[in-house]
Amino acid sequence: AQTVTQSQPEMSVQEAETVTLSCTYDTSESNYYLFWYKQPPSRQMILVIRQEAYKQQNATENRFSVNFQKAAKSFSLKISDSQLGDTAMYFCAFTTSAGGTSYGKLTFGQGTILTVHP
Amino acid sequence: NAGVTQTPKFQVLKTGQSMTLQCAQDMNHEYMSWYRQDPGMGLRLIHYSVGAGITDQGEVPNGYNVSRSTTEDFPLRLLSAAPSQTSVYFCASSYSGQSTGELFFGEGSRLTVL
């Protein structure tokens, strides 16, 4: 069974600074996808960034980037120039892609509450 | 385009009562799933469906029932509510075939069982 671990229950950062959220996972699969989802106080789940395991290049979406270390099974999220709107719970998630599809089954980490201070 | 719609958004039940959480999506996604979110445990998969008429259990299926009669709808039934089922429930859908696995979520339903 796959597991996803987020070891930081809470993090805080000053506005405009950079913060890194940690995530490790365990799997014997070779083809998989990794995600970071953001859940603001509104409770809506929002996809932040996605990484395909077969790609060596780290994914980047504007101020959000990941450090994907496949051998170490590590998938951290870096948020640059933090903004007050980044305050949210962040979930790391994993899915296998056997045959190219995940069947909608994701395994989530416990979540990290990020607070951005003005 | 409404995406994934869940109802109700809030519900309070008494132990032993039954209820159905409704979920509908208008994106023609084949895959649909239900997750529950509990503090310190992230989201856990309850049941999922890969198409109309096909459902399967996830990590925490006990006490829940699902069916999928149409592509659009995937209701979750609590047969006899227990306090342990107090949680926030999310319905999600995703594209089938060669996909990147991204889930599209509803807004969540907060259920309290007294």
Side-chain angles (χ1 to χ4, degrees):
Chain A
Q2 291 86 9
T3 59
V4 178
T5 302
Q6 295 178 247
S7 58
Q8 305 155 315
E10 296 185 37
M11 295 279 286
S12 63
V13 64
Q14 293 296 125
E15 196 174 9
E17 293 187 345
T18 296
V19 64
T20 298
L21 308 184
S22 301
C23 173
T24 58
Y25 60 94
D26 188 23
T27 183
S28 57
E29 302 287 340
S30 57
N31 297 320
Y32 51 88
Y33 298 108
L34 294 160
F35 308 88
W36 280 98
Y37 277 89
K38 170 185 177 181
Q39 186 182 46
S42 67
R43 204 168 66 196
Q44 181 68 46
M45 294 288 287
I46 302 165
L47 178 66
V48 174
I49 200 165
R50 168 181 51 229
Q51 175 79 43
E52 293 91 336
Y54 66 87
K55 290 187 176 179
Q56 294 184 343
Q57 186 173 5
N58 289 327
T60 300
E61 289 287 343
N62 300 315
R63 298 183 294 107
F64 299 88
S65 61
V66 299
N67 183 5
F68 174 47
Q69 301 289 328
K70 190 172 184 179
K73 297 180 181 176
S74 171
F75 183 60
S76 61
L77 175 69
K78 185 172 80 171
I79 306 174
S80 304
D81 186 24
S82 296
Q83 300 176 359
L84 297 178
D86 295 333
T87 292
M89 173 85 84
Y90 287 81
F91 291 100
C92 178
F94 166 99
T95 188
T96 57
S97 55
T101 183
S102 68
Y103 301 106
K105 299 166 58 180
L106 266 62
T107 300
F108 286 85
Q110 302 89 332
T112 297
I113 299 172
L114 174 68
T115 303
V116 180
H117 297 286
Chain B
N1 192 341
V4 179
T5 303
Q6 284 181 239
T7 56
K9 292 197 169 35
F10 299 93
Q11 183 72 48
V12 178
L13 289 178
K14 294 181 179 179
T15 297
Q17 288 185 317
S18 62
M19 77 156 297
T20 299
L21 296 174
Q22 302 290 346
C23 177
Q25 54 92 9
D26 61 0
M27 296 175 282
N28 202 31
H29 286 165
E30 286 296 315
Y31 301 154
M32 297 186 74
S33 48
W34 277 101
Y35 292 82
R36 60 177 287 173
Q37 180 181 3
D38 300 293
M41 304 189 75
L43 280 74
R44 292 179 292 168
L45 181 64
I46 304 172
H47 285 284
Y48 68 101
S49 170
V50 298
I54 306 171
T55 64
D56 204 351
Q57 297 180 350
E59 180 184 356
V60 288
N62 292 340
Y64 307 95
N65 195 9
V66 293
S67 60
R68 184 103 177 266
S69 57
T70 67
T71 299
E72 295 77 19
D73 300 301
F74 190 44
L76 177 72
R77 298 180 185 84
L78 280 70
L79 307 174
S80 177
S84 61
Q85 294 179 304
T86 293
S87 188
V88 177
Y89 292 85
F90 286 94
C91 179
S93 71
S94 60
Y95 176 66
S96 62
Q98 295 294 320
S99 73
T100 57
E102 176 185 355
L103 293 184
F104 295 82
F105 286 89
E107 295 181 345
S109 301
R110 179 175 293 279
L111 174 66
T112 301
V113 182
L114 303 176

